[in-house]
Amino acid sequence: SPPTPAPAPKDDSAEPHAVGEDTEAAGPTLEEVCGALAFSPAEVDLLAGLEKAWAAEPQSQAAAGVAAFLALFHKDSRKVPLGDTTMLPPFSAETIAEIASLPQSNVAHALALLWNESPQTVASDLSALGIGRAIPQNPNQPTAATRAFDIACHLLPVEPPRLLHQPSGPAAQLVLSCPLALLTGPTGKDDSPEMRFALTKELATSHARLIVPMLMSEQELTVMMKALRAAFGPSLRRGSLDPHTASLVQDLWTALPEKTQASLREILAEPDEPEQDAAGLQQEATSAAFAMALLVTGDIRAALRTAIAEDPFLAGTDPTTREGYARAAERSDIVADLVRMALWPRYWALRLGSPAGEP
């Protein structure tokens, strides 16, 4: 994820100068202003300085990255997305781990192992989920959704889920089924930036480190985390478990192969300090999925619109206005993280195809 930036640099070009002193003193560089805005994403007053610094460095790689960000506030979308997605090589697992800041707690690793080794312990089949009208996408009739799906599958190090279409529902929805399925709705036929971003984010959610935290409810995840710690952690306080969690512990002992149980005991041998709760893990996973989708699409406008659409406290907020942008960046950690990423030189380098992603 983007490193923590420094506070805003002082712009000496606005200070009075002594007689005979150079009055054309340069202000902050473009990357310095980007760092200042990343430090305080909601400070809209910094946008004027960003535009000024961008105009002074029109040929740099940073200028291309900043142009895509500033296009957020202009109706002309030719600068969005950043770079040509169709020309990018696949991103390695190491790059995704760096960019997305995947959850790193021991319990997050345990949930990922549980999904990889025994997905049936956390997932249901499609019929049990009540998804009876979903049909496989016809490979001979490509749609905007299938094209976006193919691009994202090419770029992300994830195992592609089954792609199904349903006559109603959201543009894209990953469901916790076995085998895993990604459902596209009627709006999946519309080739909009928001549809492409939403589908890419759902595909990113299929990453083993994200899928269980993001597709379980907070209550379900709380129970599963508690059961894993009780079954395989160092402190076996089974006497204090509620009946539902105690039953799940027994199910895990019964269903999981001994090799998987041994791996879980090894992962959970040391408790997380502090102990992570379900809400915190879901927040980390959501932020990672958004980061992966922004890396694949390069579209900060679609990213912010999607984040706002998923946040009931930001209903009706328009990120393409400075007032709406400031409100969203102040109230949403996801929006603030997306802004930081959009202003990060490492992200620019990866999107613009620099060798090894270096700026």
Side-chain angles (χ1 to χ4, degrees):
S1 65
T4 303
K10 184 178 180 182
D11 185 351
D12 292 328
S13 63
E15 296 294 324
H17 296 270
V19 175
E21 189 176 0
D22 181 9
T23 58
E24 297 297 324
T29 67
L30 187 54
E31 289 198 21
E32 287 175 336
V33 183
C34 286
L37 188 57
F39 184 79
S40 303
E43 289 293 330
V44 292
D45 290 345
L46 292 171
L47 293 174
L50 186 64
E51 291 180 330
K52 177 182 176 182
W54 171 66
E57 301 179 33
Q59 302 303 320
S60 66
Q61 184 177 86
V66 170
F69 177 76
L70 290 174
L72 171 67
F73 305 102
H74 303 289
K75 294 187 182 299
D76 182 0
S77 61
R78 287 177 297 174
K79 293 294 185 181
V80 178
L82 174 63
D84 185 348
T85 297
T86 63
M87 299 299 291
L88 296 176
F91 298 116
S92 67
E94 293 75 18
T95 295
I96 291 300
E98 172 197 358
I99 294 296
S101 292
L102 298 171
Q104 294 297 323
S105 64
N106 290 340
V107 73
H109 282 276
L111 289 166
L113 177 70
L114 190 63
W115 173 257
N116 284 332
E117 300 280 336
S118 189
Q120 68 276 7
T121 60
V122 293
S124 304
D125 60 51
L126 286 175
S127 59
L129 294 172
I131 306 171
R133 300 179 64 190
I135 59 175
Q137 292 277 6
N138 187 339
N140 297 319
Q141 296 179 343
T143 65
T146 60
R147 288 190 291 270
F149 178 80
D150 289 343
I151 290 172
C153 286
H154 171 67
L155 293 177
L156 291 175
V158 297
E159 188 70 26
R162 294 177 64 195
L163 187 64
L164 305 175
H165 179 73
Q166 57 182 356
S168 61
Q173 179 186 10
L174 190 71
V175 293
L176 194 56
S177 61
C178 189
L180 192 63
L182 198 163
L183 309 179
T184 62
T187 56
K189 298 178 181 179
D190 302 327
D191 193 13
S192 70
E194 288 72 27
M195 182 282 294
R196 294 193 296 272
F197 187 91
L199 188 146
T200 304
K201 182 179 76 70
E202 291 300 297
L203 182 64
T205 300
S206 68
H207 191 288
R209 203 79 64 81
L210 308 183
I211 185 168
V212 176
M214 288 194 68
L215 296 188
M216 278 188 169
S217 69
E218 183 179 341
Q219 182 178 6
E220 291 170 332
L221 184 59
T222 297
V223 173
M224 178 58 74
M225 292 166 66
K226 189 175 181 180
L228 281 171
R229 287 167 172 147
F232 307 109
S235 299
L236 302 182
R237 298 188 295 268
R238 292 192 280 283
S240 64
L241 298 178
D242 62 88
H244 180 52
T245 305
S247 176
L248 182 54
V249 168
Q250 292 293 334
D251 291 343
L252 292 171
W253 282 338
T254 301
L256 297 179
E258 179 53 40
K259 182 179 178 181
T260 301
Q261 294 193 39
S263 297
L264 287 169
R265 282 191 289 270
E266 183 177 353
I267 291 171
L268 296 170
E270 295 294 331
D272 292 311
E273 296 293 346
E275 185 172 280
Q276 187 166 45
D277 61 10
L281 180 53
Q282 288 178 326
Q283 176 73 13
E284 287 185 14
T286 301
S287 180
F290 268 95
M292 290 164 70
L294 179 57
L295 180 62
V296 168
T297 64
D299 195 328
I300 184 62
R301 181 182 296 159
L304 297 192
R305 283 177 170 166
T306 303
I308 288 169
E310 293 185 6
D311 189 333
F313 297 104
L314 292 174
T317 302
D318 182 0
T320 67
T321 69
R322 300 199 176 199
E323 296 78 10
Y325 162 84
R327 180 173 184 267
E330 182 177 14
R331 299 191 180 191
S332 168
D333 290 338
I334 298 294
V335 169
D337 286 344
L338 288 168
V339 170
R340 293 186 181 101
M341 182 169 166
L343 297 172
W344 188 22
R346 173 74 165 138
Y347 163 73
W348 302 335
L350 287 165
R351 281 295 310 175
L352 295 174
S354 295
E358 295 298 333

